[in-house]
Amino acid sequence: YIVMYALTIFKNQFDNKTHRKMEFPDWESFTQLLMNLSKTLRSGKKDAQLISPAVYEEGTTRANKNVIHWGKWAAVDVDDYEGTLEDVVRKIEHYNFVIYSTASSKRGKPKFRIVFDLNRSVEKEEVRHFWFALNKFLGDLGDPQTKDSSRMYYIPAEYVGAFNFIQCNSGAPVDVDELKAKYEF
């Protein structure tokens, strides 16, 4: 049994159907999808799909109780950061990640998402501890409202009127157990 990078796709923020899934054999294939999506012109969030690292029990809807695990990646939403993008990148440069702008990103106030490669899936029971540890490592950069295990994220795109960017970094996957051990929950 090979653990794949997995995601669930949602048509919009109100969609709760969990049958649309994609799996990728490696981090490179997954990041290629994100890079390709980032080139698509979209008028705004209402014109974009959402993705989640959550893999759900077959035949269930989007809810924390129906999550089995996260599919070898995690995302952090950053909305209220005062520093520079370079400062963030420097802090995490030894990891595999993709950092991309959101539809509400502005040049003077970038809003972005950091998608991390994980060394393994994160089981349902450990999602809260892992997210806490990842956010602590990042200096509480992540929006605390986005910690639930069934969280969805708007896809990268070329959003009209936004300060758009996307950047990939090659490093190592985040070691889930190491990070959890470092930051007690």
Side-chain angles (χ1 to χ4, degrees):
Y1 163 71
I2 297 170
V3 179
M4 306 280 262
Y5 292 86
L7 61 86
T8 304
I9 305 163
F10 299 93
K11 291 180 185 176
N12 57 50
Q13 66 180 351
F14 307 107
D15 184 9
N16 69 352
K17 307 282 187 293
T18 60
H19 66 283
R20 284 178 296 279
K21 304 171 199 165
M22 291 181 82
E23 288 187 335
F24 304 87
D26 51 44
W27 175 249
E28 291 71 27
S29 306
F30 175 57
T31 57
Q32 193 56 57
L33 169 76
L34 298 177
M35 296 302 285
N36 290 344
L37 287 169
S38 76
K39 297 177 180 113
T40 305
L41 186 64
R42 296 189 188 276
S43 58
K45 289 196 295 195
K46 292 192 179 352
D47 186 26
Q49 294 174 310
L50 297 96
I51 57 174
S52 175
V55 174
Y56 298 87
E57 289 177 37
E58 206 64 45
T60 62
T61 55
R62 188 178 82 84
N64 290 339
K65 67 179 183 181
N66 297 330
V67 172
I68 300 169
H69 66 267
W70 279 358
K72 283 191 75 178
W73 63 280
V76 176
D77 253 331
V78 182
D79 288 337
D80 297 314
Y81 182 60
E82 297 300 326
T84 67
L85 225 42
E86 291 74 24
D87 292 340
V88 174
V89 169
R90 213 174 357 270
K91 181 169 186 58
I92 60 176
E93 67 188 356
H94 52 287
Y95 289 122
N96 284 334
F97 68 83
V98 176
I99 188 168
Y100 69 88
S101 54
T102 64
S104 52
S105 179
K106 299 293 176 216
R107 190 164 297 282
K109 185 79 172 140
K111 295 183 182 217
F112 52 94
R113 192 153 293 130
I114 310 169
V115 176
F116 288 98
D117 177 14
L118 307 180
N119 68 328
R120 66 173 179 82
S121 296
V122 180
E123 297 306 313
K124 170 186 188 166
E125 309 75 44
E126 58 182 343
V127 165
R128 286 174 58 100
H129 182 180
F130 175 72
W131 192 93
F132 170 84
L134 181 60
N135 201 33
K136 284 295 170 205
F137 163 73
L138 293 170
D140 292 314
L141 262 186
D143 178 349
Q145 301 299 312
T146 64
K147 66 181 176 290
D148 56 306
S149 53
S150 64
R151 174 62 51 186
M152 307 180 289
Y153 303 94
Y154 283 100
I155 58 172
E158 188 70 31
Y159 290 106
V160 172
F163 171 50
N164 295 292
F165 57 86
I166 188 165
Q167 178 182 340
C168 280
N169 190 72
S170 289
V174 173
D175 186 311
V176 172
D177 298 307
E178 189 178 282
L179 205 60
K180 284 173 50 189
K182 190 172 179 181
Y183 298 95
E184 285 299 313
F185 187 50

